[in-house]
Amino acid sequence: MGNSPSSSINPRFASAKRAFTEKELEDLYSLFLSLAEKSERNAQHISPSVFKNHVGIEGPLGDRLFDLASQNRKDQKLTFEDLVIAKATYEKGTKDEIEEFIYQLLDVSADGTVGRSDLEAVLTAMLDSVFSQQHGPGSHSEVIGILLNAANFTTDSQKPAESCMSYEEFRKWCALLPSVRKFLGSLLMPSDPGSDVPRLVHQDNINSNVILLRKEYAWLIGGALPQEDLHEWKLLYHSTVHGLSFNTFLGNVSNDKGPSVLIIKDKEGYIYGGYASQPWERHAEFYGDMKSFIFQLYPKASIFRPTGANHNIQWCAVNFSSESIPNGIGFGGRVNHFGLFILANFDQGHTFPCTTFGSPSLSASNVIYPEAIECWGVIVKKAQEETQDRIKGTILERFKEDRHMLNMVGLANSSE
């Protein structure tokens, strides 16, 4: 493998090497040499500052990641062996190995427990990384609060003055917040974290202050979606602008045949909703697929994906006269006992715990009174590119037809 180290008495390194192909090891060694050169001329190690700049994480989280990657030697040196071992565990390990690494990463105070203050420091670094380049620095205290509200803390004897998160509770927390898990699981694979935040598009005449979907909320929802769904989201309906009208809602979203994000703020101040993978169309029964999910955004953030207990995913009933087919839109549960449901008059609904998504009631009470409802169309990147290609193709065909006509009358080359 060129001039890279090919043998070592370190059994962890020998084992870690087997997780990579020869080409991957060569690429890793090239990366190591490049970063080591930036650290110090002819150096055989990577310095903390160069490492943190490479991964794009500063502060306590960057320091903790460097310490774990350098096997906690505290000598301020990351060797090639360290890099291979860390990436083998963090990127190539089993799910349990990776999550154990991430759990240790959260302990930025390095005292053996993950306290609330540790999580606050990690979340601050995370949100700075995701949003600072796109939107500039800002306070994330409210978003940090809703993320912490999704966690369960207990008192630890080692930190009697502070509540702590156990490893099992950490795993549950990550399951509820896939965007957090995605970020923490990709720190050694530098990329643009801002690409996980969809571009939010709405008409200029809509006051941005009335919009429920903040960029941070979009990032939280997007953690449960494939990358092609994170390109652009377009506001299709907002009750403040279009009125609390079911017919207007359906009219506005009917031309959009892709997935959508429904968001509700009720009069209790709670914000929640659902991702619908299928268009909102008239059905007399449940429909949809297992890509859909429901979520809470405020006062705590959580994503609830289908459990497989049933297929009662999406509901959209219009102009039915039977009480067994309630008119309105919703997700999960069963008829008249939905996980989330808004009546066709759009002035009332309900939310109950449901096995479809393994979700609790999404608001403070089961009966909900919407204050604002909005729906965003998810512009899938592949579909958008195909549309653009069709437009280009149509223009090209028209050009060819026009040129053919000019050739027939001998004018095509008159300007040449």
Side-chain angles (χ1 to χ4, degrees), residues 4-283:
S4 63
S6 57
S7 62
S8 172
I9 60 172
N10 186 342
R12 290 190 66 195
F13 175 64
S15 175
K17 282 174 57 179
R18 292 195 288 270
F20 300 94
T21 65
E22 193 71 17
K23 178 65 166 58
E24 287 174 329
L25 284 173
E26 289 176 356
D27 291 343
L28 261 182
Y29 191 59
S30 295
L31 172 64
F32 171 78
L33 291 177
S34 172
L35 296 178
E37 183 69 22
K38 293 177 183 177
S39 301
E40 184 180 336
R41 188 168 180 81
N42 298 321
Q44 294 300 308
H45 64 269
I46 302 170
S47 68
S49 60
V50 170
F51 173 81
K52 289 188 290 184
N53 183 65
H54 172 67
V55 299
I57 300 293
E58 298 292 337
L61 181 58
D63 294 337
R64 180 60 174 163
L65 182 59
F66 182 86
D67 287 344
L68 287 180
S70 59
Q71 303 183 66
N72 289 305
R73 285 193 309 274
K74 306 296 184 182
D75 59 3
Q76 306 297 293
K77 296 178 180 180
L78 181 75
T79 67
F80 177 66
E81 290 189 3
D82 294 333
L83 185 62
V84 172
I85 292 169
K87 289 181 77 70
T89 303
Y90 187 56
E91 298 175 12
K92 305 280 190 174
T94 64
K95 180 182 178 182
D96 288 344
E97 289 171 338
I98 294 171
E99 294 196 339
E100 177 62 36
F101 186 98
I102 296 173
Y103 183 66
Q104 292 181 47
L105 180 62
L106 296 181
D107 180 19
V108 294
S109 57
D111 61 1
T113 60
V114 177
R116 189 181 182 93
S117 60
D118 289 323
L119 278 186
E120 288 177 352
V122 168
L123 292 173
T124 297
M126 180 188 309
L127 294 169
D128 281 344
S129 176
V130 173
F131 294 105
S132 290
Q133 290 184 356
Q134 273 194 333
H135 309 282
S139 173
H140 305 296
S141 56
E142 183 178 306
V143 179
I144 290 172
I146 67 174
L147 295 174
L148 290 175
N149 288 343
N152 286 322
F153 295 95
T154 56
T155 302
D156 191 282
S157 58
Q158 297 182 47
K159 280 187 179 180
E162 183 181 26
S163 54
C164 300
M165 176 189 279
S166 69
Y167 177 62
E168 286 306 314
E169 291 301 334
F170 153 74
R171 297 186 73 167
K172 294 177 184 177
W173 184 64
C174 282
L176 293 173
L177 298 170
S179 54
V180 172
R181 173 62 179 81
K182 181 180 179 180
F183 178 89
L184 293 174
S186 58
L187 293 179
L188 289 181
M189 298 170 275
S191 60
D192 175 15
S195 64
D196 291 330
V197 185
R199 187 163 68 97
L200 304 180
V201 178
H202 59 81
Q203 294 177 342
D204 293 337
N205 63 345
I206 297 178
N207 186 342
S208 59
N209 292 327
V210 305
I211 291 177
L212 302 176
L213 185 62
R214 299 169 47 173
K215 60 185 182 294
E216 294 90 349
Y217 292 165
W219 172 70
L220 288 168
I221 297 166
L225 297 174
Q227 199 65 37
E228 58 263 28
D229 284 8
L230 303 180
H231 176 56
E232 180 178 294
W233 295 0
K234 181 180 179 181
L235 184 62
L236 303 175
Y237 168 84
H238 195 294
S239 59
T240 302
V241 178
H242 304 109
L244 279 169
S245 167
F246 189 34
N247 288 334
T248 302
F249 169 86
L250 291 175
N252 284 19
V253 305
S254 62
N255 291 328
D256 188 90
K257 297 300 182 182
S260 61
V261 177
L262 179 73
I263 302 180
I264 300 159
K265 180 179 181 181
D266 65 28
K267 293 183 178 179
E268 298 278 352
Y270 282 62
I271 303 175
Y272 43 85
Y275 168 81
S277 62
Q278 301 296 315
W280 292 105
E281 297 173 336
R282 187 177 190 268
H283 288 263

